[in-house]
């Protein structure tokens, strides 16, 4: 097969679903592109799609050398293969004699549809490499009212790190939505039709977002293999790719609290124990456990519950995004990336999985105050949290009484209640640490480090630890 006489503007290696769709997106925007894949049938498939989707300027290459030589200088290649060894192997294959490589690690969010029609792009690494492809990325990315959903993130691995945290926030979002569903279905007794309506309505207000929109669609799909709705037939075991786990690991490394994201990860682990959970349900019934859902739902005001859950979901989400943003800031400080948090919120407004109307408000919060310590204390968000906290507490309280777990909402509420208190019971923990490990403590009323012989003093006063001996 002849290669194109003119050289391509860019190349793409790795033609799984995301790779194919991104290549077609680039070609459709008028940039001639060369594509390569180790499995040649994938190359044929992509070339065929380019032909049927409008004779797009996409050229298949069947070996690494032809592929590289078909691209105009400075040669830019997008590599879309599995993380880890496959990336190194692909780079090695493409740069048999290459020196002076510039590397750009780019997070891509939006799933297969985003890749084809406009994803959110998070490129970090060599700034020179970014300028080489900036014109392409600007056209290919999702477009929102304040520009394309792409920006140069920063040095090193910052682009991939930002994408990882985006996915951590996404884990939290999905968990919180599933809890809202659980409460509405099991406490409120709502049908799938009603749930579809409610989520559609929510998507016209402050919760307007990709995840709320697709959730409304999910409730409407009938089962084509049996009676009823498809959502009720799905096995309740969640898969995962690892990005949520890495986010929680990084949060721990950097001493940043991310309880909502961690709770969503724990729930995915617990969901995997399907057989154990079924046995536990049985064992606790045998031990006399009685479901409380019935007694809680008897006098429920559906309309009020729906509105309460909407407010609880919104407040919980703000906490989840706050945790993600604070993790990004901590890593940025550690690495000297100088991340612009407002700009990150902006490029997530379109194309990506967590795209939501309130990201615009997050962007504005960081524009008002670049050194904002936490989204919760931004004047606008603070007002909203205060307005919604009563509803939020009602929902969590109701769920606890009914025995329905809402770990994400509880984690968000605990985060809020811990962060907003000027004094915590950590003074007692410090006393314990000083007693058993002589770790010393500070005082609120004078400077310096102190250590106390707690046990001796307690015995002297005739009570306490001495009584145990």
């Amino acid at each position: 097969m002849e290669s194109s006489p003119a050289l391509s503007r860019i190349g793409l290696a790795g033609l799984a679903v995301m790779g194919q769709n991104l290549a077609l997106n680039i070609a459709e925007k008028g940039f001639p592109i060369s594509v390569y894949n180790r499995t040649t049938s994938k190359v044929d498939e992509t070339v065929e799609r380019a032909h049927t989707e409008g004779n797009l300027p996409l050229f298949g290459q069947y070996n690494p050398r032809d592929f590289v030589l078909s691209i105009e200088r400075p040669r830019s290649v997008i590599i879309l293969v599995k993380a880890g060894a496959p990336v190194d192997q692909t780079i090695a294959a493409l740069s048999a004699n290459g020196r002076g490589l510039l590397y750009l690690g780019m997070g891509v969010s939006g799933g297969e549809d985003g890749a084809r029609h406009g994803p959110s792009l998070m490129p970090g690494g060599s700034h020179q490499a970014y300028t080489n492809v900036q014109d392409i990325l600007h056209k290919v990315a999702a477009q929102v009212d304040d520009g394309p959903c792409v920006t140069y993130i920063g040095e090193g691995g910052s682009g991939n790190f930002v994408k990882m945290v985006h996915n951590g926030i996404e884990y939290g979002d999905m968990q919180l939505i599933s809890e809202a569903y659980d409460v509405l279905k099991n406490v409120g007794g709502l049908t799938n039709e009603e749930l579809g309506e409610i989520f559609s309505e929510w998507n016209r207000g402050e919760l307007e977002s990709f995840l709320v929109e697709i959730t409304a669609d999910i409730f409407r799909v009938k089962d084509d293999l049996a009676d009823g709705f498809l959502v009720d037939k799905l096995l309740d075991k969640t898969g995962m790719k690892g990005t949520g786990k890495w986010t929680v690991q990084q949060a721990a490394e950097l001493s940043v609290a991310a309880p909502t994201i961690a709770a969503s990860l724990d729930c995915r682990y617990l969901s995997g124990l399907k057989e154990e959970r079924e046995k536990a349900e049985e064992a606790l019934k045998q031990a006399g456990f009685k479901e409380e859902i019935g007694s809680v739902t008897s006098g429920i005001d559906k309309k009020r519950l729906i509105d309460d859950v909407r407010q609880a979901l919104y407040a919980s989400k703000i906490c989840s995004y706050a945790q993600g943003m604070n993790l990004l800031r901590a890593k940025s400080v550690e690495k000297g990336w100088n991340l612009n948090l407002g700009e990150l919120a902006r490029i997530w407004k379109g194309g990506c999985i967590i795209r939501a109307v309130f990201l615009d408000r997050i962007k504005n919060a960081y524009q008002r105050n670049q050194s904002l310590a936490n989204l919760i204390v931004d004047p606008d968000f603070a007002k909203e949290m205060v307005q919604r906290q009563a509803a939020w507490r009602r929902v969590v309280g109701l769920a606890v009484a009914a025995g329905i777990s809402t770990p994400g909402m509880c984690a968000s509420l605990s985060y809020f209640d811990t962060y907003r208190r000027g004094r915590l019971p950590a003074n007692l923990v410090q006393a314990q640490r000083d007693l058993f490990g002589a770790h010393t403590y500070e005082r609120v009323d004078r400077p310096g480090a102190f250590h106390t012989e707690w046990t001796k003093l307690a015995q002297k006063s005739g009570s306490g630890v001495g009584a145990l001996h």
Side-chain angles (χ1 to χ4, degrees), residues 151-227:
T151 188
Y152 174 69
I153 303 283
E155 296 292 325
S158 59
N160 293 111
F161 191 91
V162 167
K163 167 67 163 94
M164 176 197 76
V165 174
H166 161 289
N167 285 27
I169 294 171
E170 179 187 313
Y171 271 54
D173 258 4
M174 293 167 77
Q175 175 64 28
L176 291 167
I177 290 170
S178 77
E179 291 172 18
Y181 155 64
D182 200 4
V183 171
L184 291 174
K185 180 185 177 189
N186 291 307
V187 179
L190 274 73
T191 64
N192 286 321
E193 286 101 327
E194 290 173 312
L195 288 162
E197 279 308 305
I198 286 158
F199 274 83
S200 284
E201 192 182 318
W202 286 356
N203 197 48
R204 291 192 284 273
E206 61 187 14
L207 285 171
E208 185 188 324
S209 61
F210 174 67
L211 285 168
V212 168
E213 180 188 342
I214 65 168
T215 303
D217 289 343
I218 287 167
F219 290 127
R220 296 198 167 100
V221 176
K222 297 263 175 58
D223 186 356
D224 58 351
L225 300 177
D227 289 341

Side-chain angles (χ1 to χ4, degrees), residues 13-234:
L15 297 172
V17 176
M18 288 290 282
Q20 285 193 22
N21 284 355
L22 193 58
L24 292 164
N25 182 351
I26 291 168
E28 191 174 63
K29 298 298 188 294
F31 300 102
I33 183 170
S34 296
V35 298
Y36 167 73
N37 197 80
R38 265 199 330 199
T39 315
T40 52
S41 60
K42 289 282 186 202
V43 179
D44 294 334
E45 204 178 290
T46 313
V47 169
E48 180 55 34
R49 280 185 67 188
H51 181 68
T52 55
E53 293 182 27
N55 280 330
L56 303 175
L58 181 146
F59 309 99
Q61 302 294 342
Y62 292 85
N63 67 64
R65 185 180 163 77
D66 289 350
F67 171 65
V68 170
L69 295 177
S70 71
I71 305 163
E72 68 180 49
R73 292 165 181 264
R75 296 190 176 108
S76 301
V77 175
I78 297 170
I79 295 171
L80 257 171
V81 297
K82 276 203 174 96
V87 176
D88 299 333
Q89 288 157 7
T90 307
I91 291 173
L94 297 181
S95 58
N97 55 2
R99 291 291 171 268
L101 291 178
L102 303 177
Y103 190 74
L104 201 61
M106 185 165 73
V108 180
S109 179
E112 52 183 283
D113 191 59
R116 181 65 184 84
H117 300 291
S120 173
L121 301 171
M122 296 156 250
S126 155
H127 192 262
Q128 179 58 54
Y130 176 71
T131 55
N132 290 348
V133 292
Q134 184 179 356
D135 58 331
I136 301 178
L137 301 183
H138 273 215
K139 286 245 170 51
V140 164
Q143 308 291 320
V144 289
D145 56 358
D146 46 12
C149 291
V150 60
T151 188
Y152 174 69
I153 303 283
E155 296 292 325
S158 59
N160 293 111
F161 191 91
V162 167
K163 167 67 163 94
M164 176 197 76
V165 174
H166 161 289
N167 285 27
I169 294 171
E170 179 187 313
Y171 271 54
D173 258 4
M174 293 167 77
Q175 175 64 28
L176 291 167
I177 290 170
S178 77
E179 291 172 18
Y181 155 64
D182 200 4
V183 171
L184 291 174
K185 180 185 177 189
N186 291 307
V187 179
L190 274 73
T191 64
N192 286 321
E193 286 101 327
E194 290 173 312
L195 288 162
E197 279 308 305
I198 286 158
F199 274 83
S200 284
E201 192 182 318
W202 286 356
N203 197 48
R204 291 192 284 273
E206 61 187 14
L207 285 171
E208 185 188 324
S209 61
F210 174 67
L211 285 168
V212 168
E213 180 188 342
I214 65 168
T215 303
D217 289 343
I218 287 167
F219 290 127
R220 296 198 167 100
V221 176
K222 297 263 175 58
D223 186 356
D224 58 351
L225 300 177
D227 289 341
F229 286 85
L230 183 55
V231 70
D232 298 318
K233 311 287 167 51
L234 268 65

